[in-house]
Amino acid sequence: MLMATGSNSLTTLPLSRLEFPLALFSARRTKLSASPLPSISNLSRFRPNGFIVCSLSSDHSTTGDQILDKSSPKPHVQSCTWNWRGYSIRYQCSGSCGPALVLVHGFGANSSHWRKNIPVLAKSHRVYAIDLIGYGYSDKPNPREVGDSFYTFETWASQLNDFCSSVVKDKAFFICNSIGDTGLNAFSNEAAEHPWQCLPSAPMAKKMIPPIKGLVGLQAAVTKPQICRGILLLNISLRMLHITKQPWFGRPFITSFQSLLRNTAVGKLFFRSVATPESVRSILCQCYHDTSQVTEELVQSILHPGLEPGAVDVFLEFICYSGGPLPEELLPRVKCPVLIAWGDKDPWERIELGRAYGNFDSVEDFIILPDVGHCPQDEAPHLVNPLVESFVARHYKSPASASTTI
């Protein structure tokens, strides 16, 4: 049995439920035999004895240098702003040495959803977590003023690539969770069968969890492959509300309901039913298998930015977005290595369907995270952080052996 160890927990990974291939040590995908296996925390061969990690100022200068190793205090996390196309974009960063990582948040969430990952990974990486435009503490231009084609994966992918060029100033690994419409999966089926019973209500609102945009990383890597070194996807969305996946008999009702939300006062009423501490907590308790991880800090970190001016219009715009690319369309076009990890207790993105993504040639492995829900990075950072370190270590070439500037 494979024992996945964390700082405060011990998780047993039965081999019958885990495919943890030897590609973690080599490029070839091979299933493990039933022999004793190392812990996840020991899978990475990237074992730095110490790195210089500094507090970062807004102009990225270094101050207060100190040597940190794995047992040292967590690095300082700096909150900064970046001007992108005239809009103010908030991001968090930490660490001054090692490969660059960009953590991609999502719909209704923000970079604070990576609060358990940034300081840990920053001990041996340069870590950036960005609030995509329209979310978190970044600007939220009105969709009716910027046009229907603004809040799309193409826009966010351009933002991500520009961020790497302007702020990171290096190639980067993208670490992403889900996509953006997964909370509507259950809703779309219900709307198709009972369209007039799906008017805004607290129970319905609880099915509209703010999920995260893993598809943005794939789109960015396809658009500018020279920027992305590799992508780690956590419970990527199946996008069951996509226009091509909606049941034919339910499509007219789903479209009508989306129009109702977007173009009438019903949408604002619906948003108010979602944007409460009680609803956010209830939603999070659906997608976190370990509900003890749904803390007041987590609830408030998601709720507060969602109450800022403009947030409701962006929310309604995106939940009515049924177009754009699908992961199965982008994965064959990605040139960099891809690793997929999946919490097997995800109630929205079923692992039985998610396994199919592991069959693409660009995907080196599909890893099961036992007893974990839809947001592994926050629910089980003791499993995710070592996976990130191991994946990055396998695919990073130091500046001494390869050019890293872009």
Side-chain angles (χ1 to χ4, degrees):
M1 305 183 85
L2 175 61
M3 310 298 290
T5 59
S7 57
N8 297 309
S9 61
L10 178 65
T11 305
T12 302
L13 312 188
L15 283 176
S16 60
R17 297 169 60 195
L18 177 71
E19 294 181 4
F20 214 105
L22 290 177
L24 288 173
F25 300 97
S26 66
R28 185 176 181 180
R29 184 182 306 164
T30 309
K31 292 185 179 180
L32 290 175
S33 64
S35 58
L37 301 175
S39 67
I40 285 182
S41 60
N42 290 328
L43 285 171
S44 172
R45 293 174 290 177
F46 189 51
R47 287 288 177 265
N49 294 320
F51 287 88
I52 298 177
V53 180
C54 319
S55 298
L56 298 182
S57 64
S58 59
D59 64 353
H60 308 288
S61 61
T62 58
T63 59
D65 291 3
Q66 58 181 331
I67 300 297
L68 291 177
D69 59 26
K70 293 295 182 179
S71 62
S72 299
K74 293 180 180 179
H76 174 67
V77 178
Q78 180 80 21
S79 183
C80 307
T81 58
W82 166 54
N83 186 293
W84 182 65
R85 300 183 182 179
Y87 299 110
S88 177
I89 303 298
R90 177 245 197 170
Y91 67 94
Q92 299 184 62
C93 57
S94 186
S96 63
C97 295
L101 315 180
V102 178
L103 314 182
V104 184
H105 80 86
F107 177 46
N110 57 83
S111 57
S112 295
H113 209 189
W114 300 94
R115 69 198 189 284
K116 298 179 184 178
N117 315 102
I118 298 172
V120 176
L121 296 173
K123 292 183 178 181
S124 51
H125 306 79
R126 290 170 292 137
V127 184
Y128 301 83
I130 187 173
D131 285 5
L132 295 173
I133 191 164
Y135 299 100
Y137 294 99
S138 291
D139 281 349
K140 302 169 181 63
N142 191 310
R144 299 184 187 278
E145 297 176 359
V146 295
D148 294 340
S149 61
F150 188 79
Y151 289 109
T152 64
F153 294 114
E154 290 79 9
T155 296
W156 289 308
S158 294
Q159 181 189 356
L160 189 58
N161 284 330
D162 290 347
F163 180 76
C164 290
S165 299
S166 301
V167 179
V168 181
K169 300 183 185 300
D170 196 357
K171 298 178 182 179
F173 290 89
F174 298 155
I175 316 300
C176 315
N177 171 221
S178 187
I179 160 201
D181 69 349
T182 50
L184 289 173
N185 291 347
F187 163 73
S188 63
N189 293 333
E190 190 162 335
E193 296 178 10
H194 309 288
W196 306 118
Q197 297 179 20
C198 292
L199 294 176
S201 63
M204 195 73 257
K206 293 174 183 178
K207 296 185 178 182
M208 308 285 283
I209 177 68
I212 319 241
K213 298 180 176 63
L215 202 63
V216 172
L218 287 175
Q219 181 67 60
V222 168
T223 304
K224 289 190 176 181
Q226 71 273 21
I227 287 179
C228 184
R229 294 184 183 278
I231 307 175
L232 196 159
L233 299 171
L234 301 167
N235 290 57
I236 188 172
S237 173
L238 303 171
R239 293 212 70 194
M240 299 307 294
L241 197 64
H242 194 276
I243 188 66
T244 61
K245 293 187 177 183
Q246 294 173 13
W248 65 268
F249 54 87
R251 191 173 300 167
F253 301 113
I254 296 173
T255 301
S256 297
F257 191 80
Q258 288 175 324
S259 178
L260 181 70
L261 290 178
R262 186 185 182 197
N263 299 315
T264 72
V266 173
K268 298 289 198 303
L269 176 64
F270 176 70
F271 181 79
R272 284 198 292 271
S273 71
V274 175
T276 67
E278 295 76 20
S279 289
V280 171
R281 178 178 293 277
S282 179
I283 290 167
L284 290 168
C285 283
Q286 287 185 25
C287 69
Y288 280 58
H289 181 66
D290 179 5
T291 57
S292 69
Q293 300 300 316
V294 181
T295 63
E296 184 64 20
E297 176 190 9
L298 174 62
V299 171
Q300 294 303 322
S301 71
I302 291 179
L303 179 62
H304 281 175
L307 298 177
E308 289 198 332
V312 58
D313 296 308
V314 177
F315 174 87
L316 295 173
E317 179 73 12
F318 194 71
I319 65 174
C320 297
Y321 176 44
S322 298
L326 291 165
E328 52 265 39
E329 295 171 343
L330 294 176
L331 281 170
R333 301 169 59 193
V334 173
K335 304 301 181 184
C336 64
V338 178
L339 179 66
I340 298 179
W342 210 286
D344 68 348
K345 294 299 190 294
D346 188 336
W348 296 332
E349 305 294 352
R350 298 292 183 180
I351 193 170
E352 291 79 9
L353 298 176
R355 287 178 187 271
Y357 290 139
N359 295 328
F360 287 92
D361 290 339
S362 59
V363 179
E364 66 177 29
D365 280 306
F366 184 97
I367 296 174
I368 299 172
L369 303 175
D371 299 320
V372 178
H374 185 66
C375 303
Q377 79 279 8
D378 189 66
E379 183 180 346
H382 61 288
L383 298 180
V384 171
N385 290 337
L387 280 181
V388 173
E389 292 177 331
S390 176
F391 176 68
V392 171
R394 290 196 307 278
H395 298 291
Y396 177 66
K397 294 181 180 180
S398 66
S401 59
S403 175
T404 60
T405 57
I406 56 175

